[in-house]
Amino acid sequence: MTSTLPAATTPKVPAQRRPAPTTRPTGRTGPSRLRSSRSDLLLCGVLLVAILVVQGWNIADYPTLSDDEGTYLAQAWAVQEGRGLAHYTYWYDHPPLGWIQIALLTWIPAALSPESMTVGTMRAAMLVVSAVSAVLVYVLGRRLSLPRWAAGLGMLLFGLSPLSVVLQREIFLDNLAVMWTLLAFALAASPSRHLWHHFGAGIAAATAVLTKETMLFVLPAVLITMWRHSHRDTRKFALTGAITACALIGLSYPLFALLKGELLPGSGHVSLWDGITYQMTRPGSGFILDEGSGSWGVLQSWLYYDRVLIVGGLAGALLLLVTWRWSVTARALAGPSAAVVILALVALRPNGYLPAMYVIQALPFLALVLAGGTASVAHAVLRRRRSESEPRPLTGGRYALAAVLAIAAGAYVVPTSAPSGRCTVSHRRIQPARTASPNSWSPSCSAAATARNICICIISRSGCSETIR
């Protein structure tokens, strides 16, 4: 007789989920956390209010109204009134998307008060562009792994630079193009790495180029940022999608000219080819390092307004690119550093044309690079080779050194009042683009200047500021 043992029974254990693996903090704030972080929102909001108050103060009267502003606003008025892309024959001097955006920005104020469609009044619309750009600088700084205070410093350097206070309040296409470029960088550095973010970066980059064509030089820096922040498995799709979106939207401009029969030169009509030829062959302003040339004068005016941001940002960009292999900060800021170097190389052309508003395109990247360099110095002083058993006197010495460096930097950057109300003045004459000469800078300025020859008196940062027309 065969007997069998009863089968062993074990109590059923309910299925349990494995605990989520813990990850170490990377110092990067994701988009959802950035939106829900009270500290980030509070800091960004306070800094934004300060920037808007400074840039909006006396915005209608300073600086002197320029002919470029009048031209762009008149073209925006023509778009609003349905009279075409310009109040005269549109001759493809710039892509029209820039003043189409100005038309949208000024549409509601112009509809409520048609008589207010003037340069001084409509400068208030540029505050919207300045606000969006300043917020994007902060967001980009956080996405590039800058600490909160460093991202805020970059936002302040960008929004409160004397160059920004003067140039960002003016109705220039460069200000709109910078806003779209910053959006492209922010989407390219998105920590969620969604493919549609990278597609959006390509669309924003194309919009920036169609707003001001010189932003084409910055596109390689956007690709560098996208390469660093995209996932290795989807990097090819991300870059292909971004480049395709950018190219397709950018080709809409020559397609528009082709459909109108104005792509190539011909009798009785303007052409895109003639517009490009004019821009490429316009009279140069000399080498930027050749003392006495027009470009040298433009550089001196920039340095009068903000020597710290230009010199410090350029030196910081070169240092970050040199230390790219072994510096975490250098790798994080590779895109902005590349943008600064590329724009500097373009300005160093032997006999190129260098307008005064060209520096607008470099301001956000100079600010981010300088803020990143400051964060690196702070980390080296306060955290480098620091252990938990470090003696208190040594820790106190670290903070004391950091305080001394901060006070020294603040004493150098913060302007002082001018003694006896005297100012150091350098005069510049701005002429229309078609009649600009390489030696348009002169040592004297007449107060009886005409509308086509506007003399702007550039004052040093330690004195008062005044504009003579």
Side-chain angles (χ1 to χ4, degrees):
M1 183 175 182
T2 305
S3 64
T4 58
L5 296 175
T9 58
T10 56
K12 294 184 178 181
V13 180
Q16 297 181 354
R17 294 181 179 179
R18 293 182 178 180
T22 58
T23 58
R24 298 176 60 186
T26 60
R28 179 181 298 169
T29 303
S32 59
R33 183 179 176 184
L34 185 61
R35 289 194 298 265
S36 60
S37 173
R38 291 187 178 181
S39 301
D40 282 302
L41 294 177
L42 180 61
L43 177 60
C44 185
V46 171
L47 297 181
L48 181 60
V49 171
I51 290 172
L52 292 181
V53 169
V54 173
Q55 291 198 7
W57 192 270
N58 197 29
I59 190 173
D61 299 322
Y62 180 82
T64 297
L65 312 181
S66 67
D67 56 347
D68 283 341
E69 291 183 280
T71 299
Y72 298 144
L73 190 61
Q75 291 169 326
W77 171 84
V79 172
Q80 289 179 356
E81 297 295 323
R83 304 193 181 192
L85 295 177
H87 53 293
Y88 47 72
T89 301
Y90 172 63
W91 58 283
Y92 297 93
D93 52 337
H94 294 292
L97 186 57
W99 54 83
I100 291 176
Q101 297 174 62
I102 296 175
L104 293 175
L105 286 172
T106 58
W107 176 65
I108 295 179
L112 296 177
S113 179
E115 66 276 2
S116 66
M117 193 66 175
T118 60
V119 173
T121 304
M122 290 305 170
R123 276 182 175 177
M126 299 307 295
L127 289 177
V128 178
V129 180
S130 299
V132 175
S133 298
V135 172
L136 286 174
V137 168
Y138 184 87
V139 173
L140 180 58
R142 294 292 281 153
R143 291 188 172 185
L144 295 179
S145 302
L146 291 182
R148 184 177 294 112
W149 66 267
L153 177 62
M155 184 177 178
L156 278 181
L157 290 173
F158 169 70
L160 296 184
S161 167
L163 284 168
S164 299
V165 173
V166 173
L167 295 175
Q168 283 190 346
R169 60 175 59 191
E170 298 189 70
I171 306 176
F172 288 149
L173 302 181
D174 305 73
N175 291 316
L176 293 161
V178 164
M179 177 187 69
W180 288 106
T181 304
L182 288 172
L183 178 60
F185 270 91
L187 291 174
S190 173
S192 59
R193 299 176 175 178
H194 291 312
L195 287 178
W196 75 266
H197 287 175
H198 299 145
F199 279 97
I203 296 174
T207 306
V209 174
L210 292 180
T211 301
K212 189 63 181 289
E213 60 274 14
T214 51
M215 297 308 297
L216 183 67
F217 298 118
V218 187
L219 295 189
V222 178
L223 291 179
I224 291 175
T225 302
M226 188 178 300
W227 178 275
R228 282 199 41 79
H229 290 267
S230 58
H231 195 276
R232 181 171 53 185
D233 296 336
T234 59
R235 182 170 294 154
K236 293 181 180 180
F237 298 99
L239 293 176
T240 302
I243 294 174
T244 302
C246 183
L248 290 177
I249 295 178
L251 289 175
S252 63
Y253 185 45
L255 179 61
F256 167 77
L258 177 64
L259 294 177
K260 292 192 65 178
E262 296 174 348
L263 180 63
L264 300 176
S267 60
H269 66 82
V270 297
S271 69
L272 175 60
W273 182 264
D274 287 335
I276 296 175
T277 302
Y278 166 75
Q279 295 290 352
M280 298 298 294
T281 60
R282 66 192 307 177
S285 52
F287 185 47
I288 192 171
L289 300 180
D290 184 10
E291 187 173 355
S293 65
S295 297
W296 168 267
V298 172
L299 175 61
Q300 295 307 306
S301 71
W302 296 343
L303 296 178
Y304 263 118
Y305 276 115
D306 198 340
R307 184 181 302 269
V308 174
L309 185 59
I310 293 179
V311 177
L314 184 57
L318 293 175
L319 181 62
L320 289 177
L321 290 180
V322 170
T323 60
W324 180 82
R325 294 183 62 87
W326 58 85
S327 173
V328 176
T329 303
R331 289 192 294 271
L333 295 174
S337 301
V340 171
V341 173
I342 292 173
L343 292 173
L345 291 176
V346 173
L348 287 171
R349 291 172 299 165
N351 195 28
Y353 175 70
L354 187 65
M357 67 283 294
Y358 178 78
V359 72
I360 296 175
Q361 304 173 23
L363 289 178
F365 309 112
L366 290 169
L368 285 171
V369 168
L370 193 55
T374 305
S376 296
V377 173
H379 182 270
V381 173
L382 298 177
R383 302 295 180 186
R384 189 173 180 84
R385 296 180 180 178
R386 181 178 175 181
S387 61
E388 296 181 358
S389 60
E390 182 178 85
R392 286 189 176 182
L394 182 56
T395 303
R398 289 176 179 269
Y399 283 97
L401 178 58
V404 170
L405 292 176
I407 294 174
Y412 181 77
V413 173
V414 176
T416 57
S417 58
S420 304
R422 292 181 296 179
C423 303
T424 303
V425 185
S426 173
H427 301 282
R428 181 183 57 163
R429 179 185 299 139
I430 297 181
Q431 297 178 343
R434 287 182 176 274
T435 60
S437 61
N439 297 321
S440 60
W441 286 68
S442 61
S444 61
C445 178
S446 172
T450 63
R452 297 179 65 83
N453 292 303
I454 305 166
C455 295
I456 296 181
C457 298
I458 301 170
I459 314 302
S460 66
R461 65 184 179 90
S462 61
C464 62
S465 56
E466 180 183 0
T467 304
I468 299 176
R469 179 172 179 172

